[in-house]
Amino acid sequence: MTTETDHGVGEAVAARIERRWAILSIVIVGLLVGMATFIGIHQATMPQGRVETSDPKTLHLSGEFVESNLGTAVEADGSVTVRAIGQQYSFTPQCIVVPAETPITLRATSADVVHGLLIEGTNINTMLVPGYVADLPIRFKAPGEHVMPCQEFCGIGHQGMWGKVKVVDKAAFAKLAAARRRLTCVD
Ligand SMILES: [Cu+2]
């Protein structure tokens, strides 16, 4: 049989448990808000893990992005690196040649203002910011041609800023690469 006192005890227990859960849920919400705040402030105030910089003023004169080093290069491990720059209003090289079914690293930067680099039919879509190097992995499944427009308004000649990516068969690329250190498909 339940009595008045039993009811009282039950209510007290229920209230205690409810209070515990209420405190716990407030703590969880507080923890999540704290985490979001910390991550937000941390990202805004700390430099990112791997930011690579370049000097747009000396880009053509020395370092990785001198003209003779632009284009497609085969690395010692068989992977391929493509180096390119964007400037008002073209890409150098204007035509990039790469092999199919090969891991490719695209490294690009800008010599003047912010440009965009988009390779149609792929998920490659990045900004070329003067002073910074964009580094992206790509892999093309099959030979073919892709247009590569500048997708960031960069001035009066923006709509004419187009490049091309020519993906060739692996064997055909190996033949091309045997003859030259840096490859492009600019005629
Ligand atoms: Cu542009």
Side-chain angles (χ1 to χ4, degrees), residues 115 150 152 154 158 161:
H115 295 282
C150 173
E152 194 74 50
C154 57
H158 166 69
M161 186 169 169

Side-chain angles (χ1 to χ4, degrees), residues 169-180 183:
D169 173 71
K170 234 178 159 171
F173 181 84
K175 251 184 230 161
L176 292 173
R180 292 178 66 181
L183 295 166

Side-chain angles (χ1 to χ4, degrees), residues 95-126:
C95 181
I96 292 170
V97 61
V98 288
E101 292 174 89
T102 307
I104 299 162
T105 305
L106 171 68
R107 291 176 59 77
T109 187
S110 165
D112 39 42
V113 300
V114 175
H115 295 282
L117 189 158
L118 183 151
I119 303 176
E120 163 267 329
T122 72
N123 64 351
I124 298 299
N125 183 351
T126 187

